[in-house]
């Protein structure tokens, strides 16, 4: 029931970066997206994205230590996109740094905190153990790291250096959503920010029928209503528009009394100013 609120509490601890997106598409259409799920700005100089090309020279050890652009800072709730310099314009429009040797699907990349001499790995796509062949299976998709766009499930709010746990074996037990090749709809935003174009929908609160928040949340790891435009009715429980660009709201009537669905939700919107209690 409290998953939305738990996310807030945990996020309040410190800077937390992870790969929120990874794409391996046609020709040079590749990107890597990093999200800051913490509450503090991250100086990307403290981080790096080391890689191996095909199989590692030494199992477990990176081959290339890749720095972020000097001086780059990633604010909470924002993403940083690394793409091939001749990627699709839709990717380049949101790209912060270009890098030529992004994965062909069988090249591991990790998110490291620290220096090349002294670091910890906090997230990974692939591993540094061995060449997987064509690519790594992910979410039950054979060689899914090739010719697909991967988006981290928004229910997962921290990095996971354990690639096998992160990629899982089924769509349900993995931490990602696997989209078809050359899907660029998700690059440049993460964590509940709308990827559809809600401005097309004209909503009238007098006539619209609200959907219960628990129905939007569902009882699984992703909403059963992803991509739909809905009207919700509830009370604002926390206003984070100034810090995160959104707010939390909760059912007024006590919810559905189902402990597997949340009766609260985070609304990523700062365009309509709200206050706690509205
Ligand atoms: C990465 O940054 C560190 C620290 O500034 C620097 O010593 C190192 O030479 C850089 N590595 C590369 C490959 O640019
Ligand atoms: C990344 O690029 C986007 C799009 O140009 C820009 O809005 C954002 O501020 C950049 N972020 C960083 C950390 O440079
Ligand atoms: C919303 O619907 C009500 C009732 O039909 C109507 O009176 C009102 O003009 C509508 N508002 C907008 C902004 O369309
Ligand atoms: C989850 O929700 C679906 C759809 O409402 C329902 O059919 C299913 O029984 C629920 N599962 C659990 C474990 O509550
Ligand atoms: C909520 O569910 C619990 C456990 O199933 C039950 O004991 C309780 O009566 C329910 N409350 C309401 C208001 O339905």
């Amino acid at each position: 029931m409290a998953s939305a609120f738990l996310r807030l509490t945990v996020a309040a601890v410190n800077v937390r970066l992870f790969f929120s997106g990874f794409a391996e598409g046609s020709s040079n259409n590749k990107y890597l997206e990093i999200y800051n799920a913490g509450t503090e700005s991250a100086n990307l100089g403290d981080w790096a994205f080391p890689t191996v090309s095909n199989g590692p020279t030494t199992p477990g050890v990176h081959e290339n230590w890749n720095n972020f652009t000097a001086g780059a800072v990633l604010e909470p709730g924002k993403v940083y996109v690394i793409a091939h310099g001749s990627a699709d314009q839709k990717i380049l429009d949101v790209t912060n740094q270009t890098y030529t040797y992004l994965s062909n699907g069988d090249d591991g990349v990790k998110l490291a905190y620290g220096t090349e001499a002294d670091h910890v790995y906090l997230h990974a796509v692939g591993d540094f153990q061995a060449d997987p062949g064509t690519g790594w299976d992910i979410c039950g998709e054979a060689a899914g790291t090739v010719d697909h766009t991967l988006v981290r499930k928004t229910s997962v709010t921290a990095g996971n250096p354990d690639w096998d746990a992160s990629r899982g074996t089924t769509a349900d037990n993995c931490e990602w959503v696997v989209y078809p090749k050359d899907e660029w709809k998700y690059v440049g935003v993460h964590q509940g920010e709308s990827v559809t174009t809600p401005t097309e929908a004209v909503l009238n609160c007098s006539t619209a029928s609200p959907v219960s928040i628990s129905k939007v949340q569902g009882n699984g790891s992703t909403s059963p209503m992803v991509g739909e435009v809905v009207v919700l009715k509830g009370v604002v429980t926390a206003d984070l528009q100034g810090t995160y660009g959104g707010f939390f709201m909760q059912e007024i009537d006590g919810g559905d009394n189902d402990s597997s669905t949340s009766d609260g939700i985070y609304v990523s919107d700062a365009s309509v100013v709200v206050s706690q209690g509205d």
Side-chain angles (χ1 to χ4, degrees):
M1 165 160 182
S3 64
F5 301 95
L6 182 62
R7 177 181 305 163
L8 171 68
T9 311
V10 174
V13 179
N14 58 15
V15 170
R16 284 192 329 204
L17 306 191
F18 56 78
F19 293 135
S20 48
F22 168 99
E24 202 290 313
S26 57
S27 54
N28 291 318
N29 294 318
K30 302 167 193 293
Y31 71 79
L32 198 55
E33 183 189 83
I34 292 115
Y35 177 69
N36 182 352
T39 55
E40 296 165 22
S41 305
N43 174 5
L44 294 181
D46 297 335
W47 299 74
F49 57 104
T51 54
V52 298
S53 185
N54 304 313
T57 311
T58 308
V61 179
H62 66 275
E63 291 176 329
N64 309 295
W65 185 261
N66 306 302
N67 290 329
F68 288 97
T69 300
V73 171
L74 183 55
E75 300 297 339
K78 299 293 183 190
V79 296
Y80 188 89
V81 177
I82 300 168
H84 190 286
S86 49
D88 189 284
Q89 191 58 43
K90 289 197 188 71
I91 301 173
L92 292 180
D93 283 347
V94 293
T95 291
N96 299 104
Q97 178 172 347
T98 57
Y99 180 70
T100 304
Y101 306 104
L102 287 170
S103 179
N104 289 323
D106 61 347
D107 310 305
V109 55
K110 297 194 183 188
L111 188 63
Y113 180 74
T115 63
E116 183 166 16
D118 181 13
H119 56 265
V120 287
Y121 292 134
L122 295 172
H123 204 190
V125 175
D127 62 38
F128 292 173
Q129 297 307 321
D131 189 329
T134 310
W136 282 276
D137 298 351
I138 178 168
C139 304
E141 185 79 44
T145 54
V146 180
D147 290 343
H148 288 95
T149 295
L150 311 180
V151 177
R152 200 95 187 289
K153 288 177 181 171
T154 53
S155 55
V156 188
T157 56
N160 187 352
D162 182 343
W163 170 237
D164 286 340
S166 165
R167 68 186 172 128
T169 53
T170 67
D172 281 342
N173 71 15
C174 70
E175 296 181 351
W176 302 81
V177 181
V178 180
Y179 291 102
K181 181 178 180 178
D182 295 341
E183 172 60 86
W184 313 135
K185 193 160 59 180
Y186 301 95
V187 64
V189 289
H190 189 62
Q191 205 71 0
E193 289 188 68
S194 182
V195 293
T196 57
T197 44
T199 44
E200 286 170 10
V202 178
L203 299 176
N204 183 335
C205 291
S206 316
T207 53
S209 323
V211 175
S212 73
I213 291 173
S214 56
K215 198 169 168 219
V216 174
Q217 293 284 24
N219 58 23
S221 54
T222 54
S223 170
M225 304 180 77
V226 169
E228 292 181 38
V229 176
V230 295
V231 175
L232 302 179
K233 186 177 173 185
V235 61
V236 174
T237 51
D239 169 19
L240 302 170
Q241 291 182 313
T243 42
Y244 286 104
F247 57 91
F248 284 94
M249 62 186 279
Q250 183 178 307
E251 285 288 356
I252 295 170
D253 64 5
D256 65 354
N257 197 29
D258 177 349
S259 61
S260 67
T261 61
S262 176
D263 298 314
I265 196 165
Y266 179 72
V267 180
S268 181
D269 185 275
S271 62
V272 177
V273 176
V274 301
S275 304
Q276 188 174 336
D278 286 354

